[in-house]
Amino acid sequence: MNPLRANGERLWQSLMNLAAIGATPKGGVRRITLTELDRQGRDRFAAWAKEAGMSVRVDAIGNMFARRAGADDSLPPVMTGSHLDTQPSGGKFDGAYGVMAGLEVVRRLNDLGMRTRAPIEVAAWTNEEGSRFVPTMMGSGVYAGVYEAEKMLLQKDVDGVSVGEALKAIGYQGEAKPIKVGAYFEAHIEQGPVLENTGTTIGAVQGALGQRWFDVVILGQDSHAGPTPMELRKDALLAASKLVVEVNRVARTYPDNARATVGHLRVSPNSRNVVPGRVDMTLDVRNAKDETLLAMVEDLKKCAAAIAAECKVGVEVREVLYFAPSHFDPRLIDSVRESAKALGLTCREIVSGAAHDAVYMARIAPTAMVFVPCEGGLSHNELENARPDEIAAGCSVLLNAMLAAAGVAQESSGQARAA
Ligand code: HGY
Ligand code: MN
Ligand code: MN
């Protein structure tokens, strides 16, 4: 059968239309999870899914599932999807691409009057970003049984609002129960420079780095910036600054795709003539190997203890998230590679530095991801951008890989040949 091709123009229009919800002046998107803007994005996806003849259900943590019946609807669905929530200064493609590409797969099958044997589902997972509520990939984590929904509903943001309250406020707390998934695919921009730098259109993703996240609280003593001699200070920000330098050293000296980031740092009392008595900061540590990830963390904990003694402050390091490096399904990875080849697209293996909902879905179903390049490898940035032809190419690979997994029902296979 000739490979099918997505309607790139329609996909791009949907992405730009969705990006208008939460659009920022610099061309990015701010659609933080479980806010009014997230509701609008969800409503838009649900409306489009229904227009495409799909049914939509919502589960207890707000995950959305748009479903297109298969010829044998008793079969576990072939699922795709990603997330509609963004970082506070996010872009048009992170997450949205995977959901819109899934919708385009269904729209294209509708164009061709093709029926798959297994049902097709397109998921929009709640709170993938983990920026407002910890942990990241919360919705897919509940679906995969990594987290209990009841516990996640109690998680609070910095203003003390719980996930449950926010979910109710946008009207997306549902009752759908999890169902067995036959295969899961996720299309996503790479969010790094490898594909663009190597002139490759498709990334056949092998898996994702393991991650350990920490909240760090450094307690010193507020004191007057004038009369307090330097040697008597208990300066929490000095200690935090030393720790930030160590975080960078560890990430640069350990092997296996080591990454470490301090992304959030809050100084108290944050007044220009007061020695800071408290710093709250975050640690995000990643690695392709579990044992190396642990070694990095142990090294950083030792550094924190030494800095605490040197600066005469207290340092508390609390782990808030852990998942091991993940590996996707070799058979599905092959189907991504074969689809790319059939479409005449360049393709290479790649490990994802970012985590995705696919990381948790890989625990309950055969899983693979399709990467496409993004401009300058930039993401989690309002300037995030991608090329329409590559966005379309990734969706065509997704379409053919999903079709291979779902099978084509007899009565419509004639159209497939014509497509
Ligand atoms: O942080 C991550 O890897 C993902 O963007 N949540
Ligand atoms: Mn993402
Ligand atoms: Mn992201």
Side-chain angles (χ1 to χ4, degrees):
M1 183 173 89
N2 293 330
L4 306 184
R5 291 177 193 279
N7 178 329
E9 176 52 32
R10 177 170 58 193
L11 170 56
W12 189 261
Q13 281 318 313
S14 296
L15 275 165
M16 294 307 112
N17 186 312
L18 184 63
I21 302 175
T24 63
K26 279 197 322 197
V29 179
R30 178 186 175 88
R31 207 171 42 234
I32 292 179
T33 195
L34 306 186
T35 59
E36 168 57 18
L37 286 171
D38 184 22
R39 182 190 65 75
Q40 291 174 30
R42 288 161 170 266
D43 288 354
R44 184 74 49 90
F45 167 53
W48 281 337
K50 288 169 186 164
E51 276 169 24
M54 302 174 91
S55 61
V56 178
R57 65 184 192 278
V58 179
D59 72 7
I61 196 76
N63 295 319
M64 298 172 72
F65 303 94
R67 182 183 175 92
R68 181 181 196 260
D72 180 351
D73 225 30
S74 66
L75 289 172
V78 170
M79 187 185 280
T80 188
S82 193
H83 57 94
L84 294 172
D85 65 305
T86 73
Q87 285 287 333
S89 54
K92 300 185 179 77
F93 303 93
D94 177 4
Y97 173 46
V99 182
M100 293 299 102
L103 195 56
E104 175 54 29
V105 164
V106 168
R107 287 166 168 169
R108 193 72 187 107
L109 293 174
N110 289 346
D111 293 343
L112 300 167
M114 282 179 69
R115 179 64 52 194
T116 51
R117 252 208 317 281
I120 296 284
E121 294 203 351
V122 182
W125 302 105
T126 292
N127 185 34
E128 188 281 343
E129 289 296 356
S131 173
R132 179 182 178 191
F133 297 105
V134 171
T136 181
M137 296 120 68
M138 182 186 275
S140 51
V142 166
Y143 196 83
V146 177
Y147 304 118
E148 287 168 35
E150 297 65 37
K151 279 212 180 102
M152 290 299 109
L153 291 168
L154 299 174
Q155 291 292 93
K156 291 188 188 306
D157 66 9
V158 288
D159 300 321
V161 177
S162 73
V163 168
E165 289 160 342
L167 208 46
K168 276 201 192 75
I170 65 166
Y172 271 91
Q173 184 159 37
E175 293 167 356
K177 298 294 172 233
I179 61 172
K180 182 173 167 32
V181 174
Y184 179 77
F185 292 90
E186 183 165 350
H188 208 288
I189 52 170
E190 178 200 335
Q191 300 182 296
V194 172
L195 293 179
E196 187 180 58
N197 289 351
T198 58
T200 312
T201 306
I202 301 296
V205 189
Q206 304 301 297
L209 299 185
Q211 297 189 25
R212 285 181 184 269
W213 283 15
F214 300 86
D215 285 344
V216 178
V217 179
I218 300 177
L219 287 176
Q221 187 178 56
D222 295 2
S223 58
H224 198 304
T228 313
M230 298 310 286
E231 68 281 6
L232 296 184
R233 295 180 177 203
K234 295 177 181 173
D235 185 338
L237 184 53
L238 175 64
S241 310
K242 288 173 179 280
L243 186 54
V244 170
V245 171
E246 287 306 309
V247 166
N248 198 272
R249 172 192 59 82
V250 164
R252 288 177 184 278
T253 50
Y254 278 75
D256 308 323
N257 283 308
R259 307 280 194 284
T261 310
V262 175
H264 170 92
L265 188 143
R266 191 173 54 213
V267 181
S268 312
N270 211 24
S271 166
R272 73 177 63 238
N273 51 354
V274 178
V275 176
R278 175 176 175 134
V279 166
D280 294 83
M281 58 196 271
T282 59
L283 268 191
D284 171 328
V285 189
R286 306 187 185 201
N287 200 280
K289 286 195 180 143
D290 220 9
E291 58 277 17
T292 315
L293 178 60
L294 199 54
M296 290 171 74
V297 166
E298 292 312 313
D299 189 333
L300 283 171
K301 283 181 176 172
K302 276 201 198 96
C303 293
I307 290 166
E310 180 196 349
C311 297
K312 300 189 286 302
V313 296
V315 178
E316 186 211 342
V317 180
R318 189 168 58 85
E319 185 163 292
V320 293
L321 172 81
Y322 162 65
F323 51 83
S326 50
H327 307 283
F328 294 147
D329 181 90
R331 212 171 29 85
L332 295 193
I333 295 172
D334 282 346
S335 80
V336 167
R337 243 199 301 267
E338 282 147 26
S339 298
K341 191 163 166 237
L343 288 157
L345 299 167
T346 51
C347 178
R348 60 171 289 149
E349 294 186 352
I350 190 168
V351 171
S352 176
H356 302 281
D357 296 303
V359 163
Y360 284 149
M361 287 307 288
R363 299 194 184 187
I364 57 169
T367 291
M369 290 191 77
V370 180
F371 271 4
V372 294
C374 54
E375 200 172 290
L378 204 55
S379 182
H380 284 194
N381 183 307
E382 294 171 89
L383 303 179
E384 180 185 278
N385 197 14
R387 278 177 22 192
D389 60 316
E390 292 175 331
I391 285 288
C395 185
S396 298
V397 170
L398 178 71
L399 170 58
N400 290 282
M402 287 183 71
L403 216 49
V408 179
Q410 208 47 44
E411 78 271 12
S412 59
S413 51
Q415 289 97 326
R417 268 192 289 285

